[in-house]
Amino acid sequence: MTIANGKQSRPLGAMVGALVKSGFDNNKYIKLQTEEINKRINRFSNKLYMEFGGKLFDDLHAARILPGYDAGVKIEILKSLKDKLEIIFVISANHIEKRKIRADHAITYDAEVLRQIDNLRSVGLTVSSIVITLFTGKQQNALEFANKLKTRGEKVYFHSPTAGYPNDVEKIVSDDGYGANPFIETTKPLVIVTAPGPGSGKLATCLSQLYHEYKRGVKAGYAKFETFPVWNIDLKHPVNIAYEAATADLKDINMIDSFHLAAYGEVAVNYNRDLECFPVVQNILTKITGDPKLYQSPTDMGVNKIGFCITDDKVVRKASEQEVIRRYQKALVDAKTGAGDKDTARRIEMLMSQMGVSLADRNIVGGVREVANLLDAPVVGIDLVKAKVYGKGKTLLSASAAAVLNALKEIARIDDTIDLLPEQILKPLCDMKQNVLKVKNGQLSLKDTLVALSLSSAVNPLAKRALEKIKDLNGCEAHSSCVLESDEEQTLKKLGIRITCEPVYSTSALFIQ
């Protein structure tokens, strides 16, 4: 491999950014999922509480393993039902208190609730209230969050831990159990109950509402919208294994739904937590509704039609295998940085072994390791399908910034020897960061560099040409020879670049500014 200025040299105008073949039909998914939800609403006297798992916006996991899946398709489904639905957000007081972080956006759960509410309302969907669950009266941060919401005119409810849960069904389904929670006033036939992450209390909120509805003579229903695992494909299908990898820290395990098999003689896939709690949920639902055959299995409770919309199994399998490898690399970094443990990485490594894949199957990794060893410097590589480009960490630019600039030149067919951002532009910016803003490392981050490129595009036609190609980076695979700073990683992700890192620090310094 020949290297020029930290990049793999290549003939000018090499073809890059080949389109990834689709393996999923979004339009069919919207149609089938909407029909199924409407059927479930009609089944329950026109009042349904739906526990909505996963991400409403930006479901990037699904988009990565199901090429062709629109990361915003769930919102399109909800928009098609918007005249008959309202949304309740639930968040655990414990998560607020512990400042639990959403890894994909690097923000706290309470901030994620605010972000999601704004996003939902911006597309015309109704968020009627927020419920703070597992509230004991002692979580000060939860009280402050509630006051913040109330001053903005939001309806806020507090739910305490349910007395008797999970074993004493008599107490759970009583005025001392679910009855101790305030009833959340709703007006629409479909009530979506969602949360910023798992363990927030969606199920308990749904069941509490059902208890109150039945006391009021309303025979409301419950259903569950979960995307993964996919119930009607093989247990060991890469799509389902990718779900296990994504939840390895929670120790989720996909299993055959034994309740479904016994009731219908049909094989269906579910996961351990749903299977373990189903007898409890079934008993509670029976106690509330008086119908012991309301649901015969956890699969029965779901409205998941995603498996019927896979159009190219081979494409989906390959994409899912790549996702598992990425999850493994992230787990290794988390173990190194203290954000996770080695057991999570071992669990994903076992999943990779089951699938017959290894790090060698992620093409960009080997090239990055080779270039980093050759240059003895931090390196980020980006796979553009027909070419691979590399960026070396320098005095003025971070490795991520250099890699993205090189990738844009590759895609825009700009001569490799031309600097899109000459030193006379970069150096004053670095001096400003270091000498005025007192940033110890005056190096320009990727975000800084993109801003500089945008400004330069007003007077530099080549910079403008490169900037016009930035959307072509979406979906590209990338790898870093060392752990990236959070801001760098988040910026790469916002560009749609699928970045992974070696579990190695670029410096021995404990504090990096």
Side-chain angles (χ1 to χ4, degrees), residues 166-473:
N167 298 316
D168 191 344
V169 175
E170 291 296 326
K171 178 170 282 189
I172 294 168
V173 187
S174 74
D175 288 345
D176 294 325
Y178 289 140
N181 293 327
F183 177 59
I184 304 163
E185 297 290 343
T186 61
T187 59
K188 298 295 181 69
L190 174 61
V191 181
I192 300 295
V193 180
T194 189
S200 295
K202 299 187 296 292
L203 173 61
T205 300
C206 288
L207 296 179
S208 175
Q209 285 294 104
L210 254 63
Y211 174 79
H212 285 287
E213 293 282 15
Y214 268 77
K215 284 195 70 175
R216 288 165 170 73
V218 178
K219 294 184 177 181
Y222 164 76
K224 188 170 184 176
F225 189 133
E226 287 279 11
T227 310
F228 303 108
V230 181
W231 69 272
N232 62 326
I233 62 175
D234 290 342
L235 177 67
K236 296 301 181 182
H237 192 289
V239 165
N240 283 336
I241 293 179
Y243 168 78
E244 279 197 52
T247 58
D249 58 327
L250 301 174
K251 296 181 171 58
D252 280 356
I253 301 173
N254 295 333
M255 304 173 70
I256 297 299
D257 184 345
S258 56
F259 300 98
H260 202 78
L261 186 62
Y264 307 107
E266 180 182 38
V267 173
V269 177
N270 217 291
Y271 69 107
N272 56 313
R273 283 187 289 138
D274 264 13
L275 290 166
E276 288 163 5
C277 75
F278 177 70
V280 174
V281 175
Q282 188 181 41
N283 286 339
I284 292 171
L285 285 171
T286 299
K287 181 70 175 175
I288 292 173
T289 66
D291 183 358
K293 294 186 177 181
L294 181 66
Y295 288 130
Q296 296 299 297
S297 73
T299 301
D300 272 353
M301 297 189 295
V303 292
N304 187 3
K305 291 293 183 179
I306 200 165
F308 295 100
C309 304
I310 294 173
T311 58
D312 192 321
D313 188 64
K314 184 178 179 180
V315 167
V316 166
R317 283 176 179 271
K318 184 176 180 180
S320 299
E321 289 169 355
Q322 288 296 311
E323 176 68 3
V324 175
I325 299 171
R326 285 190 294 265
R327 293 283 183 178
Y328 175 61
Q329 291 182 304
K330 183 181 185 303
L332 291 175
V333 170
D334 287 347
K336 179 70 175 181
T337 61
D341 55 51
K342 292 181 180 179
D343 183 58
T344 298
R346 282 194 292 266
R347 291 171 66 84
I348 301 176
E349 189 174 24
M350 289 177 63
L351 295 174
M352 288 169 60
S353 178
Q354 290 178 26
M355 300 170 77
V357 298
S358 68
L359 286 178
D361 292 295
R362 183 161 164 75
N363 294 330
I364 191 63
V365 173
V368 167
R369 289 174 174 175
E370 185 178 345
V371 175
N373 288 334
L374 182 64
L375 299 177
D376 192 25
V379 168
V380 170
I382 301 177
D383 189 348
L384 300 173
V385 183
K386 296 295 185 180
K388 294 180 177 66
V389 297
Y390 303 91
K392 171 187 174 183
K394 304 173 185 178
T395 305
L396 301 180
L397 290 177
S398 71
S400 300
V404 167
L405 287 178
N406 293 337
L408 291 175
K409 285 199 291 184
E410 180 76 42
I411 299 170
R413 301 187 178 188
I414 297 171
D415 194 302
D416 196 40
T417 61
I418 295 174
D419 287 329
L420 287 175
L421 293 172
E423 185 172 339
Q424 58 263 37
I425 292 177
L426 297 178
K427 195 170 187 311
L429 294 174
C430 292
D431 289 343
M432 170 66 75
K433 287 188 71 173
Q434 192 162 24
N435 301 324
V436 179
L437 301 179
K438 304 302 181 185
V439 177
K440 185 177 180 181
N441 179 2
Q443 186 183 67
L444 295 187
S445 68
L446 174 56
K447 188 182 293 183
D448 297 332
T449 303
L450 292 176
V451 171
L453 186 65
S454 298
L455 291 172
S456 182
S457 68
V459 294
N460 182 347
L462 289 180
K464 181 180 180 181
R465 188 163 121 200
L467 202 60
E468 289 172 347
K469 298 295 184 180
I470 201 163
K471 291 183 179 180
D472 291 353
L473 295 174

Side-chain angles (χ1 to χ4, degrees), residues 40-59:
R40 200 65 63 97
I41 295 171
N42 295 335
R43 177 182 172 185
F44 291 105
S45 303
N46 219 32
K47 188 69 174 185
L48 178 69
Y49 287 89
M50 181 175 291
E51 180 186 349
F52 213 96
K55 299 170 186 173
L56 288 173
F57 290 91
D58 304 325
D59 192 347

Side-chain angles (χ1 to χ4, degrees), residues 95-202:
H95 291 166
I96 300 172
E97 203 67 17
K98 294 175 182 178
R99 304 291 189 192
K100 188 171 176 64
I101 299 290
R102 274 292 296 261
D104 48 356
H105 295 293
I107 61 176
T108 58
Y109 270 34
D110 51 336
E112 174 67 1
V113 168
L114 302 179
R115 188 185 77 88
Q116 293 245 27
I117 290 174
D118 286 344
N119 287 341
L120 289 165
R121 287 175 176 165
S122 72
V123 296
L125 296 173
T126 301
V127 179
S128 58
S129 55
I130 300 97
V131 182
I132 297 177
T133 62
L134 296 177
F135 183 68
T136 63
K138 297 179 180 180
Q139 297 106 325
Q140 187 59 36
N141 290 337
L143 283 170
E144 291 176 4
F145 180 59
N147 289 335
K148 179 179 180 179
L149 290 167
K150 289 176 181 177
T151 60
R152 300 293 295 271
E154 302 294 341
K155 292 182 180 179
V156 181
Y157 297 82
F158 289 100
H159 281 190
S160 304
T162 305
Y165 191 85
N167 298 316
D168 191 344
V169 175
E170 291 296 326
K171 178 170 282 189
I172 294 168
V173 187
S174 74
D175 288 345
D176 294 325
Y178 289 140
N181 293 327
F183 177 59
I184 304 163
E185 297 290 343
T186 61
T187 59
K188 298 295 181 69
L190 174 61
V191 181
I192 300 295
V193 180
T194 189
S200 295
K202 299 187 296 292

